[in-house]
Structure formats: structure tokens, C-alpha cells
Amino acid sequence: MVGSASQATGCHAAGHYHHTGGHILSSRPGHGHLARRLTQLYGGLVLYGASSALLVRSGLGLEPWNVLHQGLAERTGLSMGVVLTIVGAAVLLLWIPLRQRPGLGTVSNVLVIGAAMDATLAVVPDGHGWTLRIAMMAAGIVLNGAATGLYIAARFGPGPRDGLMTGLNRRTGLSVRLVRTVLEITVVATGFVLGGTVGVGTLLYALSIGPLAQVFLRVFAVPVAPEASTVVAAGQPRSAILRR
């Protein structure tokens, strides 16, 4: 769903990635932090699905990819979580010609976020009244940023939509920013036509998810042994992305 932005957060290559303004950094995490990393991975994915559900219930606008998921759900009668999972699996197939390599986080992204979203939607009702709706929107955006930090910092590979973006960047030579902008405009426009919700929440998400994710990436960073790190390209990380 890195759903990030986004605006948003990290890139990826074959295990763990950070976008560095055109460069990719890759490092092999130490095994001593495996339990923590797995906890962050699945905690982040569950929180991501739950935070997206809060944005749905606020009715004030969704993340770019979820505008598409909601529109498809409206047209097909399927739940948003199921649609999210199907779209994620379909996007993952596009990795084949792009020669992208999925990781545990990639597959888990497809399977967990949609289920967490549907579970949250089943217990959280629509917001009524502006105060509650705004609170749900704000909570959804902030929790989404925290989920992004948890998931990316776990270093188990990109989500399917992130991998599509970085794969197109590598194959076409276009910047990550341009590729992502084109993809997100396309999914928002398509989703809106299909009945997805675009609103102030969509705009606020786009403006705030990047800074939020950067903060939480630092908070949830898992130490990596210096001898286990391999620098593929130099540069200072500028952003990280988690799109569903």
C-alpha cells in the first residue's frame, strides 16, 4: 500500500534501501536485531492498515493509492482491503520485467496491510461531526507516518508500489520524483473517476507524510554493524517511501 509522499520516505534495492536523490544505498543488517526487525515489520504493516482505515472513516480524503483502491472497491463490491491486496499482487507482477527482487517485507506488505485495514474498518464506524472527522484524519496521517518509519527501518525490502517506482526509475533513467509524481497523479485521477475520496486529507497527507516518516525513521532505526554495511553509492538520505 508505501501508499507514500509521499513527499515521503526511503527507496530500496535488494534488502534495504534509502533514496539519496538519485543514488541507492544498500546495507546488510546484522542478525542480532532480527526479533526487533520482525516486530517492527509486522507492527508497522498492521499500523499502516489501521491508519489508512482511519482516513477512510474520516471521509476527508485518502492517500493517493487508496483513492484508487476505494474507487475499485465501489465498482466491484469487494472490500478495500481485498482490493488493496489484489492490486498489490498485480503490481508485484510488474516487477518481473523490471527485474526487481522482492523481500519478506514486500510479500508481507501485500498480505498484511489489506487484512489490517479491513479488520479496523469492521470495528471503527464512520466519523460524525467535524471535530471527530478532523481528529480521525489527523490521527490517521500521524500513525501512517509512524507505520512508515517502523516498516522502512526494519529493512526487509520495499512494498510493491515502492518497488514499481524505483524499478521504473532504474529502467527509464527518469528521476524518482518524476516517476512517483506521474504514478500518483495517475492513480488519484483514476480512483477519483471511479468514486474514490479526494479531499483535504489527501493534500495534508501529501504535504506531511515525508517529514513525519523521516522523524519516525530516526526514532525506529535499527543499528547496523559497521562491518556489515556495504556502500553502493554515496549520498545523504533525503526521503523514504512506503506506498501500499
Side-chain angles (χ1 to χ4, degrees), residues 128-202:
H128 296 290
W130 282 104
T131 300
L132 179 57
R133 294 174 68 192
I134 291 172
M136 294 175 80
M137 176 190 69
I141 292 173
V142 173
L143 291 176
N144 197 282
T148 297
L150 280 165
Y151 171 83
I152 295 293
R155 301 190 307 270
F156 278 109
R161 296 155 188 81
D162 290 340
L164 175 63
M165 178 190 65
T166 55
L168 288 170
N169 157 250
R170 208 166 42 238
R171 298 284 285 184
T172 65
L174 299 175
S175 70
V176 169
R177 186 186 301 273
L178 177 59
V179 171
R180 206 192 93 167
T181 298
V182 171
L183 283 175
E184 294 196 350
I185 289 176
T186 300
V187 298
V188 167
T190 303
F192 179 72
V193 169
L194 293 174
T197 304
V198 177
V200 64
T202 308

